[in-house]
Structure formats: C-alpha cells, structure tokens
Amino acid sequence: MLAVEIEHLNVYIRHAHILKNVTLRIPKNTVFVIMGPSGSGKTTLLKVINRLIDFTEGVRVEGVVRVLDIDALKADPYELRKRIGMVFQTPNPFPHLTIYENVAIAAKLNGVARSKRELDEIVRWALEKAMLWDEVKHRLHAYPHQLSGGQRQRLCLARALAMKPEILLLDEPTANIDPINARKLEEAIVSLKDEVTVVMVTHSPHQAARVADYIAVLYDGRVVEQGPAQQLFLRPSTEITQKLLRGEM
Amino acid sequence: MRLSKKDKLFLLSLLPLATSVLALLILIIFAILLRSLQAINKFGLELLVSSVWSPEQEIYGVLAPLIGSLATSVIATLTALILSIPLAIAASEYLKGFIKNVFSSLIELAGGMPTIIYAVWASEYLVPFLKTYVMEPLHRLLPFIPLFSCKPITGFSIFAAGVAIGISVVPYVTALILESYNSIPAMYKEACYGIGAYRHEAVSILLSLSRPAIVASLLLGFARALGETTIAVTTVGSSMYLSSCLFAPGYTVAALIATQFANANLYMYAESVLYTAALIVTVIATILSFYGSVIMVRWRSRIVV
C-alpha cells in the first residue's frame, strides 16, 4: 500500500529546474526520510505533495503525483491538504492563540471534533503524542511565546496531529531546536507511524538512522538513491550517498 | 558603525534642515498653547461645558464642536473599518497581476485626491443619498433610539459628515491595514494551509492575528478624521446646537476654525477660543497617533519570532 507515488516529477520555478525527473514510492505507515544537502529540492518536493507549491510564484509542475490514491496535481488542493499535516523548519505556532487554541484550531478547521469534550480530548491526545502534554497541562491558556523553541515546535507537531492527518510532512523539524527537544520530537515521530505516514526531510544522517524506515537521497533535484534505511546505511551505492552519510556534504 | 569624516560632514549638513522641521512642529504647538492662554484664563472650564458662539457678546462655548468632532470621527472610523477591510483582503488575497496593480493604483489615487473633491461630491450626492436611503428609513424604523430620533431635515448632519470623512480616510486606513497584513511573515500563512485551512479560513486566522495592527490603523485613521476640515465644512450643517441625534446638523472644531477664523481677530477673545479648541483636538490626535504607533510597533515585534 502506497501513501505517495511520484513519477517523472519535474518542477520549474521561473526558469530554474528545481526537481528533475523524480520518481518515488512512499509506503503507508512508515517513516520515509528525504535526505540531501541544502538546495537539493527537498522542501519543494514536500510542498508538491500537499500542493503548498501553488503559492510559489512562477511555478510549473509536470509529472504524476498520486497521494492517497488521488491525482494530487488535479485534485482540489484545499481538500487534499485536509488529509496532510505539515510541520515547518521554523516553529510557527500562531502567536495570538493560546497553546490550547493553537491545537484546537486544526481540529476545528477539519471538523474532527463534534463537541467541546471531544475537542478537549483531541487536544490532549495531540499534545501527548507530541510529548508536550506533561510540560503544558497546567498552562494550556498560556501563549506560545512563553514556550522554548523546542516546545513550540512540538506544539506545531501537536497542531498538525489534531487535524488527524493520514500523511504528516516534516520539513527539517529539528533544525532550529536544541538536542534534547530534538530527541523528544524524534521519539514522537517514531511512535506515530502506526497512525500516519511520516515524510520527513533532514540533512542529518544520524537523525535519519534513528527514525527512518525508508530513505531517498536527493541531490541537485534528482533522486540518486532510495530504499530501506538499513540497506542504504549498510551498502550505499552512490558516492553522493556515502559522502552524505559521512557528513561531508 | 563608525562614520567616516565625510559622512560626519554630510550628516552635519543635513542636521539644520532635518531639525528645523521638528523645531517647527514644536513651535506650532507652542504657539497654539500660547494663543490659547488668554481664553483659558478668561473662561476656564466654561468653554468646555457650553455651546455658544456669540463673538459680539464675547460669549463662547465649544462643547458642541468638540462632541461633533469626536462623533464624526467615530462614525468616520466605523465607515473606514467597514470599507477598508474588504478592500485590503481583496487587494492582497484575491486579486492577481494586472487587475491587482490597477486596483492598488486606484486606492493610491483616491488617497491622493484633494479633499475638496470629496467635499463637493459629498455635499452634492452623498448627503442627499444618505438622507433618502439611510437616515429617513432609520428614523422611521427606530425613532425611539435617541441617535435616530430626529427627522433629518436637510441631510447635512454629524452622520453625513462622519460617513463622508470616513470615505475620504478609507485609502489611508486601507494602506495601513494592507501594510500590516502583508508584513505578516509567510510562515503563518503556510501554517494555515499546512493544517488544511480553506482560503477564507486562512484569511480569517490572519486577520485575527493582525487585529492589534487593525486597531492601530483605526486609531491613526481616527486622528486623521479629527483634523479633516473641508469635508466637514460642506457636510456637517454648521450648527452650534448640541443634539443627541446623529441626523441633526452640528459642528466640528476643524469646521468651526475654518469658518470663523478669518473674522475672529475683530473680537477680543474669538481667536484665542479657536486656538483653545484647536489645542484640545491636537492633544487628542497626538495621543491617539502615539498610542496607535505604539500598538503597531509592539505587534510587529511579537509576530516576528
């Protein structure tokens, strides 16, 4: 069963060829990690999956992108995004909403909760899943600026989970947070795969080793290698992958 | 950063002109204050609690114009709020390319139009329109509400002046709202779409995020409406009678000064009374502008992580 199936994907932004003939298969209920040096097109690839790429000016997308058995490039992007949560590189909780409201708003927008009680339960479940509940349960009505960077990022994870997505896109979620918070986030990610398919972008081979079931290596807009994580770590078949795994890139 | 010798010289050459503008502003306020003292000493608080303009008898009271200024500015601010937010949302979220440019140019053009154009248009077309389609129906339907209790006689009233001034400050308020809406970091827009929001839902989240900036824009708009003169003169009805009804003619401080200043020097205190009224409006407008700017700066620092 595939969550995402991409064939011969080409993305151009203005005149730059960002993604070049990308073909990928992301199985359901796995943690699929996309690795590559900065500027290799990782974020663009994620944004094609949930069509956030539509907001980029001068973009042209060609190829086949099937997400949850839907032709993602032809589907209504708003309906599509209701099934896909996303966490960004920089924590971006809404500063004018409380911790509770930040999580609840995602559930409300997607009609996940029918009553206040259900909403409370979902908020608690999402915060627990994001391993943040114990730290904020007594201050749910505080504002995000009172949290640390790492806590804010886990709040964003909770917000994405509260919409009960089938796919979760994570764009270098630990890039801007401290190692302890990064570990908590990784633990949360691994525990999630029974419920969602996680597609995560990272440039850290160590992180990939800790969380990935599958890995694709992206370099200069092309997929240079993809497969089960163990196999890729034990027998990397390209020089680019070897360099990337050694942290030389 | 250390300045080079040439930069220091250049800065020194700029300083006299740059500081002279600020000095002029302070001098203006000082002059207004100085010229008000005569009336303040003579009449004291009496000026603020009565509504009379009788220079021949040297009896004055500017309560009606003061209330008129505040009331027209409140109506103007509400009008600007109702018209500016849809305009700002349409311009920044829904219009694209050429149409967006035309739309933005039109807003700028409207902002740069001399107020005398608005004033003439308002007295010829807007006032009769409001009288027939807004004031009279409201008076017929809700005569028991004091604000609507009087029958609009000519249409020239606090209400009409407020709406007309409101329309004239729409471009200014829209520009302020647009500026703050567009300065919301892209990451919050992405956050909205990243959790499955439809476009109108994203707009509503981003609007609530920019609520303090909208309030600040309205405060600045209020301050500008307080000082609007030409439109007030042609639409407010110029009456010193203080009424609780919005459809009755009234006065604003700016209109009072514009219509009375030329002959005020013929009397002992008239000029000084006008300066006192101007001083009060200047103080209110300065406080509101300052407070609006503070809210805006605080908001900006909060949304940028």
Side-chain angles (χ1 to χ4, degrees), chain A residues 149-170:
Chain A
Q151 287 173 322
R152 283 208 290 266
Q153 190 63 307
R154 281 182 282 141
L155 177 61
C156 292
L157 177 64
R159 181 177 66 186
L161 290 173
M163 60 188 281
K164 295 268 178 170
E166 291 160 72
I167 297 175
L168 191 60
L169 306 177
L170 308 173

Side-chain angles (χ1 to χ4, degrees), chain B residues 71-305:
Chain B
T72 50
S73 298
V74 168
I75 296 168
T77 309
L78 290 175
T79 309
L81 172 72
I82 293 166
L83 297 175
S84 298
I85 289 183
L87 216 59
I89 293 170
S92 81
E93 285 288 337
Y94 290 97
L95 298 180
K96 294 242 169 342
F98 177 70
I99 298 176
K100 184 175 180 167
N101 288 339
V102 171
F103 199 76
S104 305
S105 305
L106 280 177
I107 297 177
E108 274 172 32
L109 191 74
M113 206 142 73
T115 47
I116 186 71
I117 308 283
Y118 285 104
V120 172
W121 166 77
S123 70
E124 287 289 311
Y125 299 100
L126 183 69
V127 172
F129 174 86
L130 289 174
K131 176 178 180 267
T132 315
Y133 296 106
V134 182
M135 299 189 220
E136 281 173 351
L138 273 175
H139 171 68
R140 270 200 304 276
L141 281 170
L142 308 161
F144 46 87
I145 296 178
L147 291 176
F148 312 140
S149 58
C150 59
K151 191 168 174 13
I153 308 159
T154 56
F156 291 91
S157 56
I158 294 287
F159 178 78
V163 174
I165 295 171
I167 291 172
S168 79
V169 298
V170 161
Y172 174 64
V173 174
T174 306
L176 288 174
I177 294 178
L178 257 178
E179 194 191 323
S180 44
Y181 189 84
N182 289 337
S183 71
I184 297 175
M187 64 179 187
Y188 296 120
K189 196 172 173 179
E190 286 185 330
C192 294
Y193 294 116
I195 54 170
Y198 286 109
R199 190 172 276 234
H200 67 273
E201 290 167 334
V203 168
S204 125
I205 294 172
L206 296 176
L207 271 182
S208 72
L209 173 60
S210 49
R211 195 180 300 150
I214 293 173
V215 170
S217 307
L218 291 174
L219 283 178
L220 295 170
F222 189 98
R224 180 167 277 209
L226 265 182
E228 175 45 53
T229 311
T230 326
I231 301 171
V233 169
T234 58
T235 54
V236 79
S238 303
S239 159
M240 285 298 279
Y241 178 70
L242 186 64
S243 166
S244 63
C245 176
L246 293 178
F247 304 153
Y251 236 135
T252 71
V253 169
L256 181 73
I257 296 172
T259 52
Q260 303 297 329
F261 196 76
N263 296 326
N265 60 355
L266 300 176
Y267 307 99
M268 177 90 92
Y269 293 103
E271 216 174 59
S272 183
V273 170
L274 291 178
Y275 274 113
T276 310
L279 180 70
I280 296 168
V281 171
T282 309
V283 168
I284 296 174
T286 309
I287 292 171
L288 289 178
S289 299
F290 179 73
Y291 189 53
S293 306
V294 169
I295 296 179
M296 202 72 115
V297 169
R298 271 201 202 142
W299 176 76
R300 289 231 166 93
S301 68
R302 201 173 156 197
I303 60 162
V304 178
V305 181

Side-chain angles (χ1 to χ4, degrees), chain A residues 16 67 166 207 219 225:
Chain A
V67 178
E166 291 160 72
Q207 186 169 56
Y219 182 75
E225 191 167 355

Side-chain angles (χ1 to χ4, degrees), chain A residues 69-109:
Chain A
D69 296 322
I70 294 172
D71 184 343
L73 299 183
K74 291 194 180 123
D76 174 358
Y78 296 97
E79 292 295 330
L80 179 74
R81 282 186 216 117
K82 291 200 171 293
R83 303 173 70 183
I84 307 172
M86 185 158 181
V87 177
F88 300 85
Q89 192 171 352
T90 308
N92 58 358
F94 297 116
H96 65 304
L97 300 182
T98 63
I99 294 170
Y100 178 92
E101 289 166 342
N102 258 288
V103 183
I105 195 167
K108 280 189 205 161
L109 287 179

Side-chain angles (χ1 to χ4, degrees), chain A residues 126-142:
Chain A
L127 285 168
E128 278 176 350
K129 277 283 174 190
M131 302 202 169
L132 187 60
W133 174 255
D134 287 337
E135 291 158 60
V136 299
K137 63 185 171 190
H138 298 305
R139 47 177 180 150
L140 288 175
H141 298 289

